[in-house]
Amino acid sequence: MGLQDKLNDLLQQGLKQVEESVNLESINDVRVKMLGKKGPITEVLRGMRDLSAEERPKVGQFANEVRDQLTNAIDEQRAKLENAKLNDQLKKEAIDVTLPGNSVAQGQPHVIQQIIDELVDLFIGMGYVVAEGGEVEEDRYNFEMLNLPKDHPARDMQDTFYVTPEILMRTQTSPMQARTLETHDFSKGPLKMVSPGKVYRRDTDDATHSHQFHQVEGLVIGKHITMADLKGTLEVVAQDLFGDELEVRLRPSYFPFTEPSVEADITCFNCHGKGCAVCKYTGWIEVLGAGMTHPNVLKMAGVDPEEYGGFAFGLGPDRFAMLKYGVNDIRDFYQNDVRFLTQFDQKG
C-alpha cells in the first residue's frame, strides 16, 4: 500500500473518530492521537525519505490536505460541543425572570430639605439669586456688619460656638446678605437674594429648639422699596406653603439689623382663624421675622442709605415643617426614624 493510500485511510479513520466524539475530552484525544508528533500521520510522513524526487511533492501536498481536513473537522466538532455544553449550563442555571423580584426602597429628600427646595424654587421664580456660604464664619460678617457690635446685648440671644475669638459657627445665614451686599453692583440693578443653610446656636435641645437648625433668609435692596413690597412678598411665601386663603399680618418687633422690624403671622391653617390648640386660640400663627434694612447695615457695606433701601426677612424651614405637618417635636426630624420620615412623600 502506498503512502497516499495510508494517508487516505488515516483521514477516514480520523473523520469517523471526530464524528463519534461526544465531549470536549474525547475530541481533544482525537486531536492528540491523529495530529500529534507521535501520531500515525507523522509516522507515515517519515517514509517520504524513501520516495523519489518526483513523488515526494505530491505526497507532501496530499499529507497537508489530510492534516487540514482533520484540523477543520476537529475545530468544528469542538465548537459544537462547546456550544452544547454552554446551552446545557444555561438551562441548569436559568432564572425565571417572570417571578417577582425583591423590591428596592426608593429614597427621597428629607422633609426639611423639601421645604427648603420649595422655598428656593419659589424665590428663583420671583427673580432672586441663591447665595450659599460657609457654616464657619467671621465675627465681622456674622455680627458686626449686621449692626451688632461686640458689646451689643442682642448677641446674648445668639450665644454660639466659637472656633477662635473672631471665628465662629454662624448663628444665622445673614452673613451672606452682608457679603453679597458688599460686592453687589447696583448700576446693574437691585439686589434680590435668598440664602438657605444650616446655622448653630448654643440652645438647649427640647421640643421646639435645637443647637443646629436651618434658615432661609432673604434680602432685597434697591430704590423706592417699601414695607408694602415686604408684606406682598411674605404673603406670596405663606400662601405658597400653606394655602391661598391665608392672610398675613405684621406686628411691631425688634431686630438689630432692621428698622422698623416686624413679626409676621399667618391665619391659622388648622382653624382658619377661628381659634384652636394649634394657634393657642388666637387665630394666628407666628412664622417669621422681617423688617426694612437698617441704614447702618447699608453704610457698613458701602451702600448709600439715602439712595437705596430695602427689606430683609428670615424664616426657619424646621418650624415651617412643624407647622405644615403638625409635628410637635423638632427632634423627630433629626432622629432618623425611617417610619417617621417616610410619611412626608416628595411632592411632584
Side-chain angles (χ1 to χ4, degrees):
M1 181 183 293
L3 291 182
Q4 284 187 328
D5 293 334
K6 291 181 179 180
L7 288 172
N8 188 60
D9 286 345
L10 291 174
L11 172 62
Q12 301 307 318
Q13 293 176 25
L15 293 176
K16 183 178 180 181
Q17 292 177 25
V18 168
E19 186 177 351
E20 293 174 350
S21 299
V22 295
N23 53 48
L24 293 175
E25 290 76 12
S26 59
I27 195 65
N28 286 331
D29 289 342
V30 172
R31 179 187 63 79
V32 173
K33 179 179 178 181
M34 298 302 298
L35 301 177
K37 291 182 179 181
K38 297 181 180 180
I41 295 178
T42 302
E43 184 67 26
V44 170
L45 292 177
R46 287 184 182 141
M48 289 180 60
R49 62 178 176 269
D50 299 327
L51 297 176
S52 65
E54 294 179 356
E55 293 180 312
R56 195 175 298 152
K58 296 179 181 178
V59 174
Q61 180 180 357
F62 185 71
N64 288 334
E65 291 175 357
V66 169
R67 188 182 296 275
D68 290 343
Q69 286 187 55
L70 282 175
T71 300
N72 292 336
I74 290 171
D75 290 343
E76 290 178 4
Q77 185 70 357
R78 179 188 291 110
K80 291 179 181 178
L81 293 172
E82 287 177 345
N83 189 56
K85 182 179 180 180
L86 177 61
N87 289 334
D88 184 59
Q89 183 178 357
L90 291 175
K91 288 179 181 179
K92 293 178 180 178
E93 299 177 0
I95 298 175
D96 188 351
V97 296
T98 63
L99 293 174
N102 297 324
S103 61
V104 178
Q106 183 176 1
Q108 63 185 34
H110 191 281
V111 56
I112 294 176
Q113 188 62 50
Q114 292 181 37
I115 297 289
I116 293 174
D117 291 343
E118 188 173 350
L119 287 167
V120 169
D121 288 345
L122 172 65
F123 283 114
I124 290 176
M126 295 167 64
Y128 286 61
V129 296
V130 179
E132 296 179 307
E135 296 171 23
V136 179
E137 186 56 89
E138 297 179 34
D139 181 278
R140 172 170 173 255
Y141 286 103
N142 193 82
F143 289 127
E144 294 181 33
M145 293 284 286
L146 301 173
N147 202 33
L148 281 159
K150 292 187 181 300
D151 59 350
H152 200 290
R155 285 197 179 207
D156 294 340
M157 295 184 295
Q158 298 188 19
D159 196 10
T160 186
F161 304 98
Y162 281 85
V163 180
T164 72
E166 298 300 326
I167 303 294
L168 69 156
M169 304 298 291
R170 66 181 180 185
T171 65
Q172 52 204 356
T173 57
S174 303
M176 285 310 300
Q177 297 183 16
R179 288 181 177 275
T180 307
L181 186 59
E182 194 176 39
T183 59
H184 183 73
D185 184 358
F186 285 94
S187 66
K188 297 181 180 179
L191 169 62
K192 297 171 66 178
M193 62 157 288
V194 62
S195 53
K198 287 196 287 287
V199 299
Y200 304 84
R201 296 183 187 178
R202 202 177 66 179
D203 277 338
T204 300
D205 289 10
D206 58 26
T208 58
H209 297 84
S210 174
H211 66 280
Q212 173 190 301
F213 55 100
H214 300 79
Q215 277 191 343
V216 175
E217 297 197 9
L219 177 69
V220 176
I221 301 294
K223 296 181 179 180
H224 313 300
I225 296 175
T226 68
M227 183 73 78
D229 298 311
L230 169 60
K231 184 176 182 183
T233 300
L234 298 183
E235 285 179 343
V236 171
V237 173
Q239 291 174 0
D240 180 76
L241 283 176
F242 299 106
D244 296 336
E245 300 178 357
L246 300 183
E247 296 182 5
V248 173
R249 75 174 184 182
L250 304 180
R251 292 180 289 106
S253 187
Y254 168 75
F255 301 107
F257 31 81
T258 53
E259 181 60 37
S261 302
V262 295
E263 296 280 359
D265 301 334
I266 63 170
T267 308
C268 178
F269 50 82
N270 187 58
C271 66
H272 301 284
K274 297 178 181 178
C276 66
V278 174
C279 61
K280 298 179 181 178
Y281 300 97
T282 65
W284 298 90
I285 298 177
E286 178 186 330
V287 290
L288 56 85
M292 305 305 292
T293 304
H294 199 292
N296 289 347
V297 174
L298 297 175
K299 287 179 183 178
M300 284 185 283
V303 180
D304 185 359
E306 298 295 328
E307 184 177 2
Y308 296 98
F311 60 81
F313 57 86
L315 56 91
D318 312 57
R319 176 167 172 75
F320 270 37
M322 292 179 71
L323 293 172
K324 184 171 184 177
Y325 296 112
V327 177
N328 297 321
D329 195 325
I330 193 173
R331 292 170 293 191
D332 290 337
F333 292 130
Y334 303 118
Q335 292 176 344
N336 294 330
D337 188 333
V338 176
R339 295 169 300 177
F340 171 79
L341 295 176
T342 51
Q343 298 178 79
F344 311 101
D345 291 333
Q346 174 71 47
K347 302 297 187 295

